Amino acid sequence: THFGFRDVPEQMKESLVKGVFSSVASSYDVMNDAMSLGIHRLWKDHYVSKLDPHGGLKCLDVAGGTGDIAMRILDHAREKYRDRETSVSMLDINPEMLEEGKKRFAKTMYHNTPQVSFHLGNAEHLEQFADNTFDLYTIAFGIRNCTHPDKVVEEAYRVLKPGGVLSVLEFSNVPNPILSQAYDLWSFNVIPALGHILASDRDSYAYLVESIRRFYKAPEFAEVIRKAGFQVAQNEPWEPLTFGIAAIHTGVKV
Ligand code: SAM
């Protein structure tokens, strides 16, 4: 069957995305490794060390999934700075993903501490959080699945304190034409096949690939961030990772 995501009416997109992540929640971590040959771990490590969270930072990790970013933030602060004051509020739209995250944190020293909390919600309407609440807003591989990424960025702006940082880790575009062909081959052929073999779910993974292609190109996304009011560095508006397969976009609330 072909997953004609392109033709889906907008109001259906949200429930469809929920469905995709419900059906992949349990196999999610394994698939991430298979699809990216483990590289997503290196990207996430780099993402968090670049942010260098410490000093009792109040963080919000949106589309937190199974907690890859939240865990790295807390580990970084503790291991590098002996900081047990930095905290992460994890938010996800999908209760099953959030459950996996809770299970994972239950095995750690952060369990039942004020350092981590779990929130069910939509990145586009963070009504559970007041204006000017957080020092750091992270969203990793989550914003491209949202119906209105621009609303997500505006909400990020609202909940961040002045001086607070928005940091987005997301798939991006490979500008080099030759590398881009190789990448197309990988993502349009190999990834759906892996989804079929490892998770008996070709369609969800075909959707994931398509959602990557439909997302903003890096310069366009930098503009979305700027338009929401963030200050974006002139010299390096984003940092490409692995030929641009992924990128880190940063904005500072002024
Ligand atoms: N950040 C985690 C990571 O890097 O491993 C999880 C990324 S996972 C690819 C994307 C997550 O975004 C899923 O857990 C999904 O439920 C969540 N998500 C999708 N749309 C969302 C929305 N509108 N609001 C909040 N979370 C959303």
Side-chain angles (χ1 to χ4, degrees):
T1 55
H2 177 67
F3 200 90
F5 192 76
R6 211 175 281 270
D7 312 319
V8 169
E10 197 173 76
Q11 63 271 27
M12 275 178 67
K13 186 172 167 184
E14 194 177 304
S15 61
L16 213 56
V17 167
K18 276 189 202 165
V20 168
F21 286 107
S22 292
S23 61
V24 302
S26 52
S27 59
Y28 177 75
D29 292 329
V30 178
M31 275 307 300
N32 259 348
D33 279 332
M35 282 176 6
S36 77
L37 303 172
I39 292 172
H40 75 104
R41 290 170 187 268
L42 305 181
W43 290 339
K44 288 169 179 170
D45 287 347
H46 172 71
Y47 177 60
V48 172
S49 10
K50 181 176 166 154
L51 289 168
D52 196 23
H54 66 279
L57 226 52
K58 273 196 83 171
C59 311
L60 176 63
D61 183 41
V62 173
T66 54
D68 273 15
I69 302 306
M71 192 73 79
R72 276 174 175 75
I73 289 176
L74 295 180
D75 283 347
H76 179 97
R78 181 179 52 85
E79 286 165 11
K80 206 169 160 202
Y81 297 94
R82 296 166 163 257
D83 167 8
R84 297 292 309 269
E85 302 294 317
T86 287
S87 63
V88 184
S89 304
M90 243 180 80
L91 177 132
D92 203 284
I93 202 167
N94 185 310
E96 286 153 79
M97 288 301 248
L98 218 50
E99 262 330 294
E100 293 291 320
K102 276 186 199 166
K103 270 193 223 159
R104 196 162 152 204
F105 272 97
K107 296 180 204 137
T108 69
M109 68 185 84
Y110 309 118
H111 183 50
N112 276 338
T113 73
Q115 281 199 279
V116 63
S117 57
F118 302 89
H119 309 263
L120 194 61
N122 188 335
E124 294 177 7
H125 319 277
L126 300 174
E127 55 258 330
Q128 60 267 73
F129 302 113
D131 299 2
N132 310 321
T133 302
F134 295 101
D135 301 295
L136 174 64
Y137 177 112
T138 52
I139 183 165
F141 305 114
I143 198 164
R144 78 172 191 287
N145 302 122
C146 296
T147 314
H148 303 287
D150 49 338
K151 273 195 198 156
V152 173
V153 174
E154 283 164 22
E155 273 294 83
Y157 191 87
R158 184 183 66 78
V159 300
L160 278 168
K161 297 175 188 169
V165 172
L166 161 75
S167 181
V168 183
L169 174 59
E170 188 50 270
F171 287 105
S172 193
N173 56 296
V174 176
N176 179 302
I178 293 170
L179 292 175
S180 152
Q181 272 186 26
Y183 178 50
D184 280 352
L185 224 60
W186 173 260
S187 44
F188 287 116
N189 298 297
V190 182
I191 289 179
L194 282 176
H196 181 59
I197 294 163
L198 296 177
S200 321
D201 191 352
R202 178 184 294 271
D203 288 350
S204 290
Y205 286 90
Y207 154 70
L208 289 179
V209 171
E210 192 165 333
S211 71
I212 292 170
R213 295 323 155 100
R214 286 171 53 84
F215 191 62
Y216 295 108
K217 294 217 175 351
E220 297 165 355
F221 188 50
E223 206 40 48
V224 170
I225 294 175
R226 207 174 265 132
K227 276 212 181 100
F230 286 100
Q231 200 165 59
V232 175
Q234 296 284 350
N235 56 338
E236 198 194 48
W238 66 88
E239 181 194 0
L241 306 176
T242 318
F243 315 116
I245 291 177
I248 299 172
H249 286 258
T250 310
V252 179
K253 176 167 173 175
V254 283

